[in-house]
């Protein structure tokens, strides 16, 4: 009997339990977060027939709202789960999203990529840790800032000027990628065993204004230098509401796809 | 790998063989399907056209040592299985040493403590569940009647291992065996009593920037079991400390479970009683896992596990976040020569089950992340009190009788009220009431030839909810609603040949386009321990449940085959 009691005691000692008290559910550190000049891109691989995806999208929306203006969302709808099955199904994939998905090594859904621009080795399938990974990135100073200015040219034609302002020396081979994303598209979404017909799809990648892998920034720029890249374009037919469109600009290192800076602007800015 | 593939293909060979003084046993199965698009029922166009799930289990035993592995191939997974299974490899391998005193397993193993409420590592191939633990397990029997288990490992998630680590221990004492072993004298064996207790803990790093998550989550349970000549009784209580996870919407409540199973039986009559109360006991190896991924426990269902086709149109799945209810089963065997029993006897059975939600109230607080909103991270709940929300209710009546030497007959009636909104997560779908009538007859022409016929009718009512939804959106693709008819004919030429034809028809779907026929035809050939089946089927989407655990099955249309063998 002593042997049994000894074994049981050892077993119980092996297991421990963390009890979280009622007034300590939230991590207080968030409320005192100090930002640097860096914004962070959260690229989410998703699809409307991916029934595991809505919890991840919900977490992404929460993080974007929490770090308003500092975290940029970009949802890439791809894989066979993005193929429409019915006439009423939303068409959320396009050449840009398929290109990004292929560039990313066709990951499982849902996946999130934090401050990496389409590479097969930097996915984080654990959406609950997206927030902490993003916070780690937000703490790192970066060597440039991006601002964007849009202009309406008429007949669905627009122009966007991407202003790169260097606060450090430009690194070699930087590339600039510019994308259009759309919020507020209503359409079907599987959610567990549930089918939601009026799901709101946000941050949908609609089109690239540069190449899928961006354009090279040739100059050797230093502290205080600026550079402006301009893109003229016609709004793609797939866009449902131009008032919900954003232009996202990304500067990254093509050798490892790490993103140095990202920013976005409403296509039609409020007057 | 070529050797494994060859083994898989050679499923027609059935043998067991001596090797180095030991023996090899195994089981292999391959399931393939050729899919066709069927836009009427929403069956998708499958890019690969042909999909296949296959596996081979191989076990080598030699004296006290057992070695085994399982090769699996999903290229690509059959429709309805999680696409993350895609690929092939050996996700399961182990070595076990067994003696009277101790068993040691390293590698993969399956395990269950008690009824499974604190730990159940298992494989349910039909559901795509395989949460085998990969680590170390000990079973120690230090004295007669006492067994102690200890385990440590990570669980399988598709082709990887979980982030979370599971640690567990279980003690089981058969009192009748322990007392003589302790020298406390002989006792009668009319009543066998055993007691037990379990403790299981999960470690997973707190990687949330929002919540303070418990990294070590503890569950424990105590149980009692007694069996006599006319009764059996099992009871288990479990407790789980705060475990905010995706499936409980990150609620910080502790969880509790109570399970009581009782049975009384005598010659020709039996009565079973099943009660449980479960609150927030979904225990996952990874707190982010949803659907059927990485469960670490299991609650035996209260409701009857139906086998008749139309009784599975609306199956009930256990709700681990909270439910309470009862299930009762009674059976009476009419004696031969009695008025109802006639020359060959007859059997009557009744089953009733009812499940409610819990009596609970959410505690809403201001969301610190967005002060314009409120959120809920815990709730108050009255222990063992049912709430107002009916989850499921079912009455089954069965009668079977052998009318002549060659003909036997069975009839069943099922009345069920099904909470579709809860079970299928379809907002606003409310309740479905069904009345199902089933008649079945088997005629044996001689020792080799037999024909079984089965007729079923499901009468459907939902108070016009689905009709209203269809009126709002005529694209509503819901193949389940409406009255159903089903017929099955199965002709057997024993012991090798089975011909089966099943026809289902949805006669009153609110969407006239979905009043369609669902035929299935199968031919099966069995030779010793090898089975070949080839068939065609058109399948509607819905839930497939095994033991109260359910997965969504998509619509499909196509040909399929299965080859299996054991050796």
């Amino acid at each position: 009997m002593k042997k049994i009691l000894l074994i049981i005691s050892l077993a119980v000692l092996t297991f421990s339990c963390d009890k979280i008290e009622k007034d300590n559910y939230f991590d207080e550190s968030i409320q005192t977060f100090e930002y640097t000049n860096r914004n962070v891109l959260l690229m989410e691989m998703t699809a409307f027939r991916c029934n595991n995806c809505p919890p991840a999208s919900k977490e992404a929306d929460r993080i974007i709202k929490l770090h308003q203006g500092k975290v940029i969302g970009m949802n890439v709808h791809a894989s066979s789960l993005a193929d429409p099955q019915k006439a009423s199904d939303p068409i959320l994939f396009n050449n840009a999203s398929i290109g990004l998905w292929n560039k990313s090594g066709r990951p499982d859904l849902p996946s999130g990529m934090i401050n990496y621009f389409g590479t097969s080795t930097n996915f984080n399938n654990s959406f609950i840790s997206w927030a902490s990974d993003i916070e780690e990135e937000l703490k790192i100073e970066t060597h440039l800032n991006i601002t964007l200015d849009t202009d309406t040219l008429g007949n669905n034609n627009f122009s966007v000027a991407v202003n790169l302002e260097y606060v450090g020396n430009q690194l070699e081979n930087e590339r600039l990628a510019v994308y259009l994303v759309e919020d507020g598209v209503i359409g079907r979404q599987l959610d567990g065993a549930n089918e939601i017909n009026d799901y709101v799809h946000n941050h949908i990648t609609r089109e690239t204004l540069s190449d899928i892998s961006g354009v090279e920034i040739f100059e050797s720029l230093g502290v205080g230098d600026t550079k402006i890249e301009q893109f003229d374009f016609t709004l793609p037919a797939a866009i449902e509401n131009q008032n919900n469109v954003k232009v996202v600009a990304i500067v990254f290192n093509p050798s490892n796809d790490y993103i140095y800076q990202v920013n976005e602007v409403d296509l039609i800015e409020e007057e | 790998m070529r050797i494994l593939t060859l083994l898989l293909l050679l499923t027609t060979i059935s043998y067991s063989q001596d090797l180095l003084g030991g023996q090899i046993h195994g089981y292999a199965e391959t399931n393939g399907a050729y899919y066709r698009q069927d836009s009427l029922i929403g069956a998708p166009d499958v890019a690969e056209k042909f999909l296949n799930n296959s596996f081979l289990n191989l076990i080598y035993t030699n004296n006290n040592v057992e070695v085994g592995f399982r090769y699996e191939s999903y290229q690509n997974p059959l429709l309805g299985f999680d696409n993350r299974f895609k690929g092939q490899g050996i996700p399961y391998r182990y070595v076990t040493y067994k003696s009277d005193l101790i068993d040691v397993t390293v590698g993969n193993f399956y395990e269950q403590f008690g009824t499974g409420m604190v730990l159940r590592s298992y494989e349910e191939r039909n559901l795509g569940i395989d949460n085998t633990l990969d680590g170390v397990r000990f079973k120690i029997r230090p004295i007669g009647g006492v067994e102690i288990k200890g385990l440590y490992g990570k669980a399988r998630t598709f082709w990887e291992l979980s982030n979370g680590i599971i640690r567990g221990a279980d003690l089981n004492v058969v009192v009748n065996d322990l007392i003589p072993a302790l020298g406390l004298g002989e006792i009668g064996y009319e009543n066998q009593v055993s007691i037990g207790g379990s403790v299981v803990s999960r470690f997973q790093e707190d990687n949330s920037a929002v919540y303070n998550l418990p990294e070590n989550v503890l569950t424990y349970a105590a149980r009692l079991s007694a069996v006599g000549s006319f009764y059996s009784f099992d009871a288990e209580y479990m407790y789980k400390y705060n475990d905010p996870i995706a499936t409980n919407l990150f609620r910080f409540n502790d969880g509790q479970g109570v399970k009581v199973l009782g049975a009384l039986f005598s010659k020709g009559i039996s009565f079973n009683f099943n009660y449980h109360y479960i609150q927030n006991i979904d225990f996952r190896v990874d707190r982010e896992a949803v659907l059927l991924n990485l469960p670490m426990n299991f609650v035996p269902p209260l409701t009857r596990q139906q086998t008749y086709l139309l009784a599975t149109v609306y199956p009930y799945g256990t709700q681990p976040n909270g439910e309470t209810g009862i299930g009762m089963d009674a059976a009476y065997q009419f004696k031969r020569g009695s008025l109802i029993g006639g020359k060959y006897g007859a059997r009557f059975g009744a089953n009733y089950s009812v499940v409610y939600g819990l009596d609970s109230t959410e505690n809403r607080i201001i969301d610190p992340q967005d002060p314009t909103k409120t959120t809920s991270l815990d709730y108050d709940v009255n222990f063992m009190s049912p709430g107002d929300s009916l989850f499921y209710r079912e009455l089954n009546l069965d009668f079977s009788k052998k009318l002549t030497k060659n003909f036997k007959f069975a009839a069943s009636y099922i009345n069920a009220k099904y909470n579709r909104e809860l079970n299928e997560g379809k907002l606003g779908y409310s309740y479905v009431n069904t009345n199902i009538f089933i008649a079945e007859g088997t005629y044996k022409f001689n020792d080799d030839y037999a024909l079984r016929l089965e007729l079923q009718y499901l009468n459907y009512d939902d108070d016009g909810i689905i009709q209203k939804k269809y009126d709002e959106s005529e694209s509503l693709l819901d193949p389940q609603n409406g009255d159903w008819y089903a017929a099955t004919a199965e002709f057997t030429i024993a012991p090798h040949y089975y011909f089966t034809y099943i026809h289902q028809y949805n006669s009153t779907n609110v969407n006239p386009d979905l009043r369609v026929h669902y035929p299935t035809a199968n031919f099966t050939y069995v030779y010793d321990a090898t089975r070949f089946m080839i068939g065609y089927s058109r399948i509607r989407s819905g839930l497939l449940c095994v033991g109260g655990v359910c997965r969504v099955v998509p619509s499909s249309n196509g040909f399929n085959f299965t080859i299996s063998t054991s050796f």
Side-chain angles (χ1 to χ4, degrees):
Chain A
M1 186 56 77
K2 281 180 182 172
K3 274 194 290 186
I4 296 170
L5 290 173
L6 179 65
I7 291 168
I8 292 171
S9 304
L10 286 172
V12 171
L13 286 173
T14 305
F15 312 113
S16 52
C17 178
D18 304 328
K19 180 72 181 163
I20 309 295
E21 297 304 328
K22 194 176 179 69
D23 55 0
N24 200 26
Y25 291 162
F26 285 101
D27 189 340
E28 298 293 329
S29 62
I30 276 190
Q31 293 159 34
T32 56
F33 192 81
E34 290 183 14
Y35 295 104
T36 64
N37 70 326
R38 180 185 291 258
N39 299 334
V40 173
L41 181 76
L42 172 52
M43 186 187 289
E44 189 187 336
M45 298 289 169
T46 187
F48 78 93
R49 288 194 295 119
C50 164
N51 53 5
N52 294 324
C53 289
S57 292
K58 192 177 169 191
E59 174 65 358
D61 284 344
R62 191 194 64 75
I63 295 167
I64 290 165
K65 188 168 185 182
L66 178 66
H67 298 290
Q68 203 157 19
K70 298 298 289 180
V71 177
I72 313 297
M74 198 166 142
N75 284 11
V76 174
H77 287 253
S79 90
S80 60
L81 296 177
D83 293 341
Q85 300 290 309
K86 297 189 283 189
S88 58
D89 280 345
I91 309 287
L92 304 177
F93 67 92
N94 46 58
N95 288 338
S97 66
I98 292 168
L100 282 172
W101 190 56
N102 285 334
K103 182 177 182 324
S104 309
R106 301 182 164 210
D108 294 330
L109 308 183
S111 295
M113 202 168 354
I114 291 153
N115 250 9
Y116 278 91
F117 184 65
T119 175
S120 58
T121 55
N122 287 293
F123 277 107
N124 185 346
N125 296 103
S126 173
F127 65 81
I128 203 165
S129 63
W130 288 355
S132 54
D133 290 355
I134 283 171
E135 286 190 4
E136 289 305 309
E137 285 295 313
L138 286 169
K139 289 175 186 169
I140 304 169
E141 293 274 355
T142 187
H143 63 276
L144 82 158
N145 297 319
I146 301 175
T147 55
L148 298 102
D149 295 307
T150 59
D151 198 8
T152 306
L153 305 177
N155 281 340
N156 263 359
N157 293 317
F158 295 85
S159 171
V160 60
V162 182
N163 309 297
L164 309 177
E165 180 202 350
Y166 282 81
V167 294
N169 290 329
Q170 185 190 12
L171 301 174
E172 283 185 8
N173 302 321
E174 287 179 358
R175 292 181 79 85
L176 168 68
V178 183
Y179 279 77
L180 296 181
V181 299
E182 184 176 10
D183 287 338
V185 174
I186 309 291
R188 188 160 77 103
Q189 174 70 52
L190 301 188
D191 183 2
N194 199 2
E195 182 177 285
I196 303 168
N197 285 317
D198 54 358
Y199 188 87
V200 181
H201 296 272
N202 289 324
H203 326 300
I204 304 161
T205 301
R206 288 296 200 184
E207 180 72 284
T208 173
L209 304 185
S210 56
D211 286 344
I212 282 175
S213 298
V215 294
E216 194 164 347
I217 306 165
F218 286 107
E219 284 100 313
S220 178
L221 302 169
V223 178
D225 289 341
T226 59
K227 178 172 176 59
I228 298 175
E229 291 278 354
Q230 183 157 326
F231 299 87
D232 297 337
F233 60 96
T234 303
L235 211 56
I239 298 285
E240 294 191 4
N241 185 347
Q242 60 187 31
N243 292 312
N244 290 339
V245 174
K246 289 187 169 79
V247 185
V248 177
I250 301 157
V251 173
F252 66 101
N253 178 349
S255 62
N256 61 7
D257 291 318
Y258 182 65
I259 293 174
Y260 295 130
Q261 186 60 290
V262 59
N263 208 350
E264 68 179 3
V265 68
D266 289 337
L267 178 64
I268 298 176
E269 296 179 72
E270 286 183 26
E271 294 182 3
Chain B
M1 201 50 67
R2 282 180 186 169
I3 295 168
L4 290 173
T5 308
L6 186 64
L7 280 168
L8 206 59
L9 292 172
L10 294 175
T11 50
T12 54
I13 299 172
S14 178
Y15 65 95
S16 88
Q17 188 174 317
D18 289 336
L19 181 70
L20 301 172
Q23 280 208 318
I24 289 182
H25 296 278
Y27 180 80
E29 185 174 310
T30 180
N31 296 285
Y34 176 82
Y35 294 102
R36 304 188 314 161
Q37 188 174 18
D38 188 342
S39 50
L40 195 59
I41 59 170
D45 180 22
V46 175
E48 302 93 332
K49 302 297 180 194
F50 183 82
L51 300 175
N52 181 266
N53 293 3
S54 297
F55 71 95
L56 166 73
N57 267 320
L58 210 59
I59 298 166
Y60 174 73
T61 52
N62 192 336
N63 294 316
N64 293 356
V65 176
E66 182 178 304
V67 181
F69 72 84
R70 183 172 61 244
Y71 166 79
E72 295 180 11
S73 163
Y74 303 86
Q75 303 194 77
N76 285 337
L78 294 171
L79 280 185
F81 285 83
D82 199 306
N83 219 32
R84 285 172 286 182
F85 277 115
K86 189 167 57 181
Q88 52 88 33
I90 299 178
Y92 182 86
R93 73 282 177 270
Y94 68 94
V95 179
T96 297
Y97 170 80
K98 291 180 182 178
S99 72
D100 290 340
L101 175 67
I102 190 168
D103 296 355
V104 183
T105 299
V106 293
N108 293 97
F109 54 87
Y110 297 105
E111 186 56 78
Q112 177 169 332
F113 292 167
T115 61
M117 283 202 294
V118 292
L119 183 131
R120 189 190 190 204
S121 167
Y122 69 114
E123 185 196 22
E124 180 48 68
R125 193 158 284 278
N126 286 325
L127 293 177
I129 292 179
D130 182 11
N131 63 346
T132 174
L133 287 166
D134 190 354
V136 182
R137 179 185 60 187
F138 289 86
K139 292 181 183 178
I140 304 168
R141 291 169 286 273
I143 191 169
V146 175
E147 183 177 68
I148 300 163
K149 298 176 189 171
L151 57 85
Y152 211 99
K154 291 188 165 193
R156 176 188 180 188
T157 171
F158 307 104
W159 296 102
E160 296 173 353
L161 292 177
S162 59
N163 290 325
I165 303 170
I166 294 293
R167 297 78 56 94
D170 181 78
L171 168 69
N172 196 64
V173 179
V174 181
V175 176
N176 300 61
D177 294 339
L178 177 65
I179 288 173
L182 290 174
L184 300 176
E186 295 294 323
I187 61 165
Y189 275 80
E190 304 81 36
N191 302 293
Q192 290 221 33
V193 178
S194 62
I195 56 174
S198 313
V199 56
V200 179
S201 169
R202 180 196 71 219
F203 171 78
Q204 187 179 10
E205 197 179 342
D206 175 9
N207 49 11
S208 170
V210 183
Y211 306 116
N212 283 320
L213 297 174
E215 295 194 324
N216 292 285
V217 174
L218 183 72
T219 68
Y220 62 82
R223 61 182 184 268
L224 167 70
S225 177
V227 182
S229 58
F230 66 94
Y231 75 96
S232 70
F233 177 81
D234 291 276
E236 184 166 18
Y237 170 79
M238 71 86 75
Y239 193 89
K240 184 178 75 149
Y241 283 90
N242 53 184
D243 184 22
I245 56 175
T247 55
N248 72 7
L249 305 176
F250 285 89
R251 299 294 198 275
F252 280 75
N253 286 76
D254 292 354
Q256 291 185 89
V258 178
K259 185 93 192 163
V260 179
L261 296 156
L264 293 168
F265 38 84
S266 181
K267 195 174 180 185
I269 189 166
S270 66
F271 176 76
N272 291 278
F273 175 80
N274 187 351
Y275 164 83
H276 74 215
Y277 166 88
I278 53 177
Q279 174 253 319
N280 194 28
I281 67 163
D282 194 1
F283 189 33
R284 305 271 178 154
V285 190
D286 188 314
R287 60 171 79 90
E288 288 178 51
V290 295
L291 300 174
L292 299 180
N293 192 21
L294 288 170
M296 201 65 265
N297 66 344
F298 170 79
V299 182
L302 288 171
T303 57
R304 175 183 276 193
Q305 301 306 290
Q306 300 285 4
T307 53
Y308 285 113
L309 268 176
L310 296 189
T312 61
V313 175
Y314 297 105
Y316 180 71
T318 306
Q319 304 295 315
N321 282 341
E323 67 169 37
T324 184
I326 55 167
M328 291 181 290
D329 207 67
Y332 182 76
Q333 186 78 36
F334 293 95
K335 288 180 183 171
R336 292 181 179 189
S338 65
L339 180 65
I340 297 174
K343 187 176 178 182
Y344 298 98
R347 182 189 178 279
F348 174 75
N351 170 280
Y352 178 76
S353 54
V354 61
V355 187
Y356 280 91
L358 303 185
D359 180 13
S360 62
T361 310
E362 295 280 355
N363 292 323
R364 298 208 71 80
I365 56 170
I366 301 291
D367 187 344
Q369 318 303 319
D370 183 357
T372 62
K373 291 181 179 172
T374 61
T375 187
S376 175
L377 291 177
D378 62 14
Y379 54 85
D380 296 325
V381 59
N382 289 323
F383 181 59
M384 293 180 72
S385 296
D388 295 330
S389 177
L390 175 69
F391 283 5
Y392 191 69
R393 187 174 64 217
E394 182 186 69
L395 170 70
N396 293 268
L397 300 173
D398 312 303
F399 181 75
S400 60
K401 181 174 168 62
K402 191 171 178 180
L403 293 174
T404 71
K405 186 183 172 188
N406 297 325
F407 182 66
K408 62 182 178 185
F409 168 81
S412 297
Y413 166 72
I414 304 167
N415 173 275
K417 190 177 180 80
Y418 172 85
N419 188 332
R420 197 167 179 199
E421 179 170 304
L422 172 92
N423 276 282
E424 298 176 25
K426 294 185 172 175
L427 209 61
Y429 273 56
S430 190
Y431 289 97
V432 168
N433 296 291
T434 57
N435 287 290
I436 304 170
F437 303 88
I438 299 160
E440 179 186 350
T442 304
Y443 186 79
K444 211 170 173 182
F445 297 95
N446 53 42
D447 284 348
D448 295 330
Y449 291 73
L451 176 66
R452 187 174 73 86
L453 291 174
E454 197 179 284
L455 297 172
Q456 302 178 40
Y457 167 62
L458 181 152
N459 175 264
Y460 172 91
D461 176 42
D462 66 6
D463 293 330
I465 297 273
I466 304 291
Q467 183 66 54
K468 194 176 165 195
K469 287 195 171 291
Y470 179 68
D471 292 342
E472 290 167 358
S473 166
E474 292 201 352
S475 64
L476 184 71
L477 189 65
D478 175 46
Q480 281 167 266
N481 73 82
D483 290 356
W484 284 81
Y485 294 88
T488 301
E490 188 174 73
F491 184 63
T492 306
I493 305 174
H496 297 304
Y497 302 99
Y498 299 83
F499 301 86
T500 308
Y501 181 74
I502 301 166
H503 198 103
Q504 297 178 79
Y505 174 53
N506 182 341
S507 63
T508 62
N509 195 294
V510 293
N511 183 344
D513 291 341
L514 290 176
R515 292 171 192 168
V516 293
H517 296 266
Y518 294 87
T520 294
N522 291 327
F523 165 67
T524 306
Y525 174 73
V526 177
Y527 184 81
D528 288 340
T530 300
R531 179 175 173 270
F532 301 85
M533 190 280 290
I534 187 163
Y536 162 80
S537 57
R538 187 187 209 193
I539 297 170
R540 61 162 173 79
S541 62
L543 288 180
L544 169 70
C545 298
V546 179
V549 181
C550 307
R551 77 169 164 96
V552 178
V553 179
S555 298
S556 65
N557 186 338
F559 296 91
N560 53 81
F561 75 87
T562 299
I563 304 172
S564 63
T565 189
S566 56
F567 49 88

